[in-house]
Amino acid sequence: MSVQQQPEPRPPAAPPPGGAGAANVTPAAVAGGATAPLVEMRHISVAFGGVKAVDNVSIDVRPGEVVGLVGGNGAGKSTLMRSLSGAHKADSGEILIDGKPVTIANPRDAKNAGIETIYQTLALADNINAPANLFLGREILTGVGTLDDSAMEDATRKVMGRLNPNFKRFRSPVRNLSGGQRQSVAIARAVHFNAKVLIMDEPTAALGPAETEQVRELIRQLKSEGLGIFLVSHDIHDVIDLAERISVMYHGRLVGTVDKTDVTIDEVLGMIILGQPPDKLNREQIQSLR
Amino acid sequence: MRKRLLAMATLTVLVFAACNSSGTGGSGAPGGTGAAGGGCLVGVSWNNYDQERWKKADEPAIKKAIEAGGGTYTSTDAHDASEQQNKDIDTLINKGVKVIILLAKDAASITPAVTKAEQAGIQIIGYDRLIEDEKALYITFNNKRVGTIMAQELLAVQPTGNYAIIKGDPGDANAKFLRDGMDEGGLKAAVDSGKVKIVGEQNTPNWDTTGAKNEMQAILNANNNKVDAVLSENDGMATGVSQALQAVGLNIPLSGQDGDAAALNRVALGQQTVSVWKNAFALGETAGNAAIQMCAGTKLADVKAPSDLPDASKPADLASHPFTTPGGKTVTSFILNPTPIKKDNLSAVIDSGWVTKDQVCAKVTPGSVTPC
Amino acid sequence: MTSSVATSEHETGSLRDRVMDLVRATEIDGRLLGMIVTLIGIEIGFGLYTGGSILSPVNLLTFATQAVQIAIIATGMVLVIVSRNIDLSVGSVLGVVAMTYAVLMHEVFPTTIGVDTPYGWLIALGAGLLIGIILGAIQGFLIAYMKIPSFVVTLGGLLAFRGLVFDISGGSTQAPDDTQFVVLGGGPLGSLGGTISWAFGAVIIVAIALYLYYNRRQRRRFGFPVRPMWAEVGIGVVGLLIVVGGVAISNAYHWPAGLIEQYAAQHGISPEGLVIEAGVPWPAVILLAVTLVMTFLATKRKFGRYVYAIGGNPEAAELGGINTRWTIMKIYILMGILCAISAAISSAQINGATNDLGNGYELLVISAAVIGGTSFAGGVGTIPGAVLGAIVIYALRYNLQYIGLPSNNQDIVIAVVLIAAVAFDTYSRRNAT
């Protein structure tokens, strides 16, 4: 990492790699399948002991698209995403980025492939400050190999200026920050390194209403910049509001992926709770959910 | 799970097998006492095997005497922890020893284990360190006399002036004996008459060398280096003291005990006045020999010391004597005599095989003392 | 801890607030400041008790030199504890290395390269360092890659390496060391001497000034807020005074009469009126160097950043793509190196090695780190803090010895200080936010 690579504010609607002319496509058009997927996960299985946490699941995300990943507790959505972020290696299946198969064995592989993750736990080291967290594992070094704390602080000031202009505590350990401030550090870390794909695991779970709205606004902005985003959430309204497509998991299996415009909230709820695609559900079953 | 249980079971069997082979190997049927203690298993409980002399002298001498009497030797090491030594005694009881030679870390806290052993019909020999028990045989050097010799030797070369005393571990009865012995050796009289002033006196936890050095530095600084002699209760601490003295350019009378090679080298170099040497070969032989006699059923009062002990250590008429403990008990005991090693008799200790000439004479100007 | 600083009465605002503001402006670690104040408090207390005699240069130098072995290892123990591990084996590793030095110089060299050769002590040092690294690497590998808890591994090390000491020594005390080696132990003969001490002090003062200047320029470069100029100059002046004071105290200790006589006799001059300044002891120079290098590793290198990140949140460190295992292993290798350095000083101070050398050091080292503000919860601790912690322990121990308090009661006093330090820490953290 060198000083020259300080991030500039991301130009709006950067052309997504490999996607011809995708910059000006509307989300709806993208969802219609006009572009090739940015990331494809094919037939992924992950087992813990004898339990199949993820069982033969295939999903994908395209540039400038948000795919909502929903399901009940233990449905396997976090495990699936962890195998994409490198936190846990999948037992079988393949991952394609821009159509090319890649191996993701650890978090470094994922980051090198342009996949950044915002974990539900935020994954911040509480005892060090925001710049140190933002650059954790990717520190900026001086010419003699020492940490260039000033350059990292400078870069952090710039990215935070865009994400959370009120953020001022750059030299304080992040344990002293509020929940929203900590969240913005975690988001800054994900967006600073020019990610192509963003995994957001319950990004609003710990936030108040104002901060939640801020995060939603950010997701819309990142989407318009051409990122592919996997949004893991149990909040169905978040998903309906932000996502183009919704993938539903149930007991480790993929129930189905539906276009937001094709389904009602009730139908999605039916998929989550009963584990059946909408066409297999009858009116009474859906009614019974109310 | 099943596999692990099996592995553990196998391991347990192996450990037992190993213990048995080392514990009772060569002995006849357990409990059988033939002629002269045949098949007698003798256990030694070391308090801390980590000191030079045990490995070098005591253990081989004990072992030799036991095996000469047809017995078998086994041992445990408590690593300087009294609670561990209690457990060690249990181990020896379970191994089926007839006699335990006990080098107690702490005289008081070992009592429960000793009682337990005696209830199991095992006889105890208190070795080198006192245990307060009338049924035990106490074999030791005259420890008080070690202190007496130290004081006598130092007062002989430095009859007046400021004395510092670096004592051993505060929990070790020996440290107190030594101190009492110093008073008997004329220190108290010299202090009372005003000839000698004690300007510093400290106990050293674990007889630690660096600790002794640090204490000596404090005493030197507190007295502007006006110290004329140092009574150190052993050679290990004398190593630290000597370094503290040399660092401020002092070369004053210094005592020690144990006959450590490094200390004897200092004696040869003129940096230490005396190392009081307890001929551990003689002590070990006495204990091993007594254990065999006790195994054969000899009454405690009739046990004799071996007749081939060196003259310097030999107790008069080879008989045991009653010894009154600080706790007021009367214990049957063999008290051997310590030998002061000074510049003029260094050859004796080399001849005995305790140390080599090279060790004693390192960095010594050839011809400056007799053996070098 | 700050109430002792006097400010004029007519200023507005509470005294405490004003003092806190002043301290904050200098950006000095409050914890460190507290330790220094404690140390000064101890010295003033004992000074009053002894009518000032305990404050003489020789006393200050003696306890500072005694603390060095523990302080050196404590700088590494900080990183061990910060990374949520422990190292109980330090005393035994020190014992193995010290015995290696002594056996080489006492038994091996006489029959091979000869005693007191100009390079023999360096060969010994190299061999000891290598052994320290190997022992550290073995333990580090078991902890980091085999995932065996560090408590278990280093407890094993504590026992096994102490056993190894006896195998190396054959059970006997090995003494003496080469004469060049003994210099590392300090004392009048193991010090820099008056003139070189001043030169040494001058180098440090220049280094402090350059460091302050570089930092300020670095922050200016990015337009960050900088300390007020008065604080910057103030820190520089305080640093200057500490260095000048330290060298002055060291030089105020003159060779004692016995050494002067030996020296005069050797050089055929009259000892009458001969005064030789001892100067800064070598162990102090070594400790300063170790502290600087360790602080640099901890705060200016990726390695240190990763150690703190692992301590703060091991999962976050792993997800950040850090090679946590190699980082942990490196900490233990570093411990081996520090033990080897400390072993050289320990061995030099007693001019040889006894089998018990280093016995019980693990608890002293851990105490120094904890008194210095290292938290067992992980992620928190500073290297200068641990060094000060060691010095506080030895200042107390030495001063209590000096006034002749029995050894068991010394232990009680030190225990109370240890617990008080941690209690104060817990209290101030709870009230910090």
Side-chain angles (χ1 to χ4, degrees):
Chain A
M1 184 62 54
S2 72
V3 187
Q4 288 77 22
Q5 278 178 283
Q6 284 164 37
E8 295 304 317
R10 196 185 299 275
N24 295 322
V25 214
T26 62
V30 172
T35 38
L38 204 49
V39 168
E40 251 188 294
M41 301 182 80
R42 287 187 189 160
H43 310 295
I44 301 289
S45 292
V46 182
F48 296 116
V51 183
K52 282 209 162 175
V54 174
D55 186 4
N56 195 22
V57 173
S58 301
I59 58 169
D60 62 279
V61 67
R62 296 168 195 140
E65 179 192 41
V66 175
V67 173
L69 189 56
V70 296
N73 280 334
K77 47 192 197 300
S78 282
T79 307
L80 179 67
M81 286 299 106
R82 285 170 71 84
S83 69
L84 182 59
S85 67
H88 189 99
K89 198 173 182 307
D91 297 321
S92 62
E94 64 178 335
I95 295 170
L96 289 82
I97 293 174
D98 295 331
K100 293 182 208 80
V102 292
T103 308
I104 294 179
N106 55 49
R108 200 179 283 273
D109 289 345
K111 289 177 185 205
N112 289 342
I115 300 167
E116 295 288 339
T117 310
I118 299 157
Y119 294 93
Q120 186 174 3
T121 57
L122 302 185
L124 296 175
D126 279 342
N127 56 331
I128 54 182
N129 61 26
N133 266 293
L134 204 141
F135 285 91
L136 190 58
R138 292 183 279 202
E139 289 76 9
I140 300 177
L141 300 182
T142 62
V144 292
T146 58
L147 295 172
D148 195 340
D149 280 313
S150 299
M152 289 191 269
E153 184 178 329
D154 184 56
T156 308
R157 282 175 187 272
K158 282 182 182 145
V159 65
M160 290 308 269
R162 190 159 66 90
L163 294 178
N164 185 355
N166 296 326
F167 191 95
K168 290 282 180 284
R169 307 181 69 180
F170 292 95
R171 316 199 86 191
S172 184
V174 299
R175 90 157 63 78
N176 296 340
L177 306 183
S178 72
Q181 287 174 325
R182 289 160 53 83
Q183 183 89 33
S184 57
V185 173
I187 293 174
R189 176 167 61 186
V191 303
H192 174 70
F193 293 95
N194 298 314
K196 288 192 279 190
V197 178
L198 206 54
I199 302 167
M200 302 178 105
D201 194 352
E202 305 282 6
T204 58
L207 301 183
E211 287 163 334
T212 300
E213 191 41 53
Q214 223 177 351
V215 170
R216 288 181 175 194
E217 189 46 50
L218 179 73
I219 291 174
R220 287 187 200 103
Q221 186 193 336
L222 293 171
K223 183 163 73 173
S224 73
E225 291 172 11
L227 272 76
I229 298 172
F230 282 116
L231 178 63
V232 181
S233 181
H234 67 271
D235 183 345
I236 192 73
H237 298 285
D238 254 2
V239 175
I240 292 286
D241 185 30
L242 294 166
E244 276 72 44
R245 287 184 297 149
I246 301 167
S247 292
V248 183
M249 290 185 70
Y250 182 82
H251 289 314
R253 289 179 297 104
L254 183 72
V255 179
T257 299
V258 294
D259 205 299
K260 178 176 76 177
T261 51
D262 298 345
V263 289
T264 65
I265 285 192
D266 286 346
E267 282 170 333
V268 176
L269 279 173
M271 292 168 78
I272 295 171
I273 297 165
L274 301 168
Q276 298 289 334
D279 49 359
K280 297 238 176 85
L281 291 172
N282 58 39
R283 186 150 298 279
E284 287 75 43
Q285 278 177 312
I286 290 173
Q287 216 65 49
S288 74
L289 295 170
R290 298 232 156 201
Chain B
M1 195 59 185
R2 172 165 291 190
K3 244 185 198 163
R4 284 176 61 188
L5 276 178
L6 193 69
M8 279 171 69
T10 314
L11 191 67
T12 313
V13 169
L14 282 174
V15 167
F16 272 109
C19 287
N20 274 341
S21 63
S22 67
T24 58
S27 76
T33 48
C40 179
L41 180 61
V42 181
V44 180
S45 171
W46 301 106
N47 73 327
N48 186 3
Y49 192 64
D50 292 352
Q51 278 171 10
E52 187 172 10
R53 65 171 270 207
W54 313 129
K55 198 192 285 186
K56 192 149 120 194
D58 297 70
E59 186 179 48
I62 292 173
K63 213 167 169 178
K64 194 172 149 202
I66 291 171
E67 282 163 4
T72 308
Y73 168 90
T74 183
S75 73
T76 57
D77 176 16
H79 290 295
D80 219 19
S82 33
E83 64 282 4
Q84 177 60 40
Q85 193 157 31
N86 275 292
K87 293 172 192 151
D88 287 349
I89 301 285
D90 283 339
T91 308
L92 291 174
I93 295 172
N94 296 340
K95 272 190 174 179
V97 299
K98 293 282 167 46
V99 180
I100 292 175
I101 298 176
L102 172 62
L103 187 80
K105 151 77 177 158
D106 185 284
S109 66
I110 201 68
T111 314
V114 167
T115 310
K116 207 170 173 185
E118 283 168 350
Q119 284 163 353
I122 296 167
Q123 303 196 72
I124 305 284
I125 297 175
Y127 185 79
D128 199 54
R129 305 207 183 163
L130 179 66
I131 42 172
E132 295 265 354
D133 183 39
E134 292 188 338
K135 281 182 265 180
L137 178 66
Y138 180 36
I139 299 181
T140 190
F141 279 99
N142 193 332
N143 283 311
K144 231 187 208 174
R145 206 169 146 60
V146 173
T148 305
I149 294 173
M150 287 175 176
Q152 284 170 346
E153 296 293 344
L154 258 58
L155 285 166
V157 292
Q158 185 69 43
T160 58
N162 290 342
Y163 270 59
I165 307 178
I166 303 295
K167 298 183 291 185
D169 191 281
D172 190 334
N174 222 346
K176 192 176 176 308
F177 283 156
L178 288 163
R179 181 66 185 85
D180 292 346
M182 290 175 190
D183 278 346
E184 287 178 15
L187 185 63
K188 190 167 187 305
V191 170
D192 289 347
S193 69
K195 283 187 196 158
V196 165
K197 187 179 170 217
I198 296 173
V199 294
E201 182 168 353
Q202 273 288 359
N203 276 104
T204 314
N206 298 318
W207 305 77
D208 182 70
T209 310
T210 305
K213 184 215 75 184
N214 290 350
E215 284 162 8
M216 194 62 223
Q217 286 179 327
I219 293 171
L220 285 170
N221 293 342
N223 295 283
N224 292 317
N225 297 339
K226 288 190 182 60
V227 177
D228 301 305
V230 184
L231 286 157
S232 160
E233 286 190 348
N234 80 1
D235 285 340
M237 298 192 302
T239 298
V241 170
S242 168
Q243 203 51 35
L245 295 175
Q246 284 177 44
V248 296
L250 283 179
N251 190 6
I252 54 176
L254 168 66
S255 73
Q257 72 156 323
D258 291 338
D260 278 1
L264 296 172
N265 178 233
R266 279 196 298 272
V267 171
L269 286 166
Q271 295 168 350
Q272 183 170 332
T273 313
V274 60
S275 174
V276 183
W277 181 48
K278 301 189 283 192
N279 186 340
F281 297 106
L283 194 72
E285 183 183 346
T286 309
N289 191 286
I292 293 297
Q293 294 178 55
M294 287 156 80
C295 243
T298 313
K299 280 206 296 191
L300 221 50
D302 298 334
V303 173
K304 294 278 179 216
S307 55
D308 59 348
L309 292 180
D311 290 337
S313 319
K314 204 183 271 187
D317 66 21
L318 301 179
S320 63
H321 291 277
F323 172 83
T324 308
T325 69
K329 290 186 172 130
T330 308
V331 180
T332 312
S333 60
F334 287 106
I335 311 276
L336 278 59
N337 289 316
T339 323
I341 307 292
K342 296 185 289 179
K343 242 182 176 163
D344 53 19
N345 63 346
L346 280 168
S347 300
V349 75
I350 297 172
D351 295 343
S352 78
W354 172 251
V355 286
T356 64
K357 191 181 150 199
D358 287 350
Q359 288 174 309
V360 174
C361 296
K363 293 193 179 181
V364 177
T365 317
S368 63
V369 286
T370 318
C372 304
Chain C
M1 74 182 181
T2 47
S3 55
S4 59
V5 182
T7 52
S8 51
E9 280 300 311
H10 53 79
E11 281 172 346
T12 52
S14 93
L15 180 68
R16 192 187 145 81
D17 286 350
R18 298 192 61 84
V19 171
M20 289 311 283
D21 284 348
L22 283 178
V23 171
R24 217 168 281 137
T26 59
E27 298 180 12
I28 291 173
D29 186 348
R31 168 84 203 188
L32 279 184
L33 201 62
M35 304 260 310
I36 293 169
V37 171
T38 307
L39 195 57
I40 294 170
I42 290 171
E43 287 304 308
I44 291 175
F46 279 96
L48 291 175
Y49 183 84
T50 59
S53 74
I54 213 163
L55 299 177
S56 69
V58 61
N59 288 315
L60 303 176
L61 282 178
T62 304
F63 76 70
T65 311
Q66 288 179 355
V68 167
Q69 293 109 296
I70 297 301
I72 285 176
I73 309 179
T75 60
M77 189 63 86
V78 169
L79 298 186
V80 171
I81 298 176
V82 160
S83 73
R84 303 192 185 190
N85 284 294
I86 194 71
D87 190 346
L88 301 175
S89 71
V90 289
S92 297
V93 173
L94 182 144
V96 169
V97 177
M99 192 51 83
T100 306
Y101 293 144
V103 166
L104 281 175
M105 286 183 275
H106 178 61
E107 290 208 329
V108 179
F109 289 175
T111 56
T112 51
I113 64 169
V115 291
D116 293 345
T117 56
Y119 51 88
W121 66 285
L122 286 170
I123 296 176
L125 272 181
L129 208 58
L130 189 66
I131 287 179
I133 289 171
I134 292 170
L135 297 185
I138 292 171
Q139 296 193 107
F141 179 80
L142 292 173
I143 293 161
Y145 290 91
M146 307 303 285
K147 301 274 178 207
I148 305 171
S150 57
F151 185 90
V152 176
V153 171
T154 60
L155 184 63
L158 167 76
L159 299 170
F161 299 151
R162 181 58 61 189
L164 198 58
V165 174
F166 286 85
D167 290 336
I168 297 172
S169 69
S172 30
T173 296
Q174 299 287 333
D177 292 330
D178 278 9
T179 43
Q180 296 93 330
F181 189 84
V182 176
V183 168
L184 297 175
L189 295 174
S191 299
L192 294 182
T195 316
I196 300 179
S197 292
W198 280 121
F200 176 68
V203 169
I204 295 176
I205 290 168
V206 171
I208 291 174
L210 284 177
Y211 179 77
L212 289 174
Y213 170 75
Y214 172 81
N215 257 5
R216 194 172 176 83
R217 202 193 60 172
Q218 192 71 1
R219 292 192 66 76
R220 274 274 158 79
R221 186 181 116 207
F222 290 100
F224 299 157
V226 290
R227 287 183 192 125
M229 200 59 200
W230 65 262
E232 209 82 74
V233 172
I235 289 172
V237 169
V238 169
L240 179 93
L241 289 177
I242 290 173
V243 174
V244 170
V247 174
I249 287 172
S250 303
N251 285 354
Y253 174 46
H254 300 149
W255 281 26
L259 279 183
I260 289 283
E261 277 162 27
Q262 287 172 14
Y263 181 85
Q266 277 165 17
H267 292 76
I269 51 174
S270 162
E272 214 54 47
L274 183 60
V275 171
I276 303 177
E277 293 173 337
V280 181
W282 271 109
V285 177
I286 296 170
L287 175 61
L288 190 68
V290 166
T291 308
L292 287 176
V293 169
M294 289 297 291
T295 306
F296 172 77
L297 288 179
T299 60
K300 295 288 168 201
R301 297 281 299 171
K302 274 190 189 177
F303 165 71
R305 176 66 45 87
Y306 293 172
V307 170
Y308 280 84
I310 290 169
N313 186 345
E315 200 200 353
E318 196 82 54
L319 293 174
I322 292 172
N323 191 341
T324 54
R325 286 183 285 190
W326 175 227
T327 305
I328 298 282
M329 182 155 164
K330 276 196 283 192
I331 299 176
Y332 282 90
I333 293 174
L334 200 54
M335 283 305 270
I337 295 171
L338 292 170
C339 286
I341 297 171
S342 182
I345 295 168
S346 287
S347 176
Q349 287 193 351
I350 62 165
N351 193 6
T354 49
N355 286 300
D356 63 2
L357 200 60
N359 228 351
Y361 273 21
E362 56 282 348
L363 292 184
L364 284 169
V365 170
I366 293 169
S367 304
V370 168
I371 289 178
T374 306
S375 160
F376 273 112
V380 178
T382 66
I383 280 153
V387 171
L388 277 173
I391 292 175
V392 165
I393 292 176
Y394 275 87
L396 268 176
R397 167 84 71 193
Y398 176 81
N399 288 348
L400 293 168
Q401 272 170 356
Y402 185 91
I403 64 168
L405 195 74
S407 58
N408 54 318
N409 293 339
Q410 297 169 16
D411 290 339
I412 295 174
V413 174
I414 290 168
V416 169
V417 169
L418 172 70
I419 293 169
V422 176
F424 173 77
D425 231 20
T426 315
Y427 172 80
S428 58
R429 284 222 180 100
R430 202 182 299 144
N431 291 294
T433 41

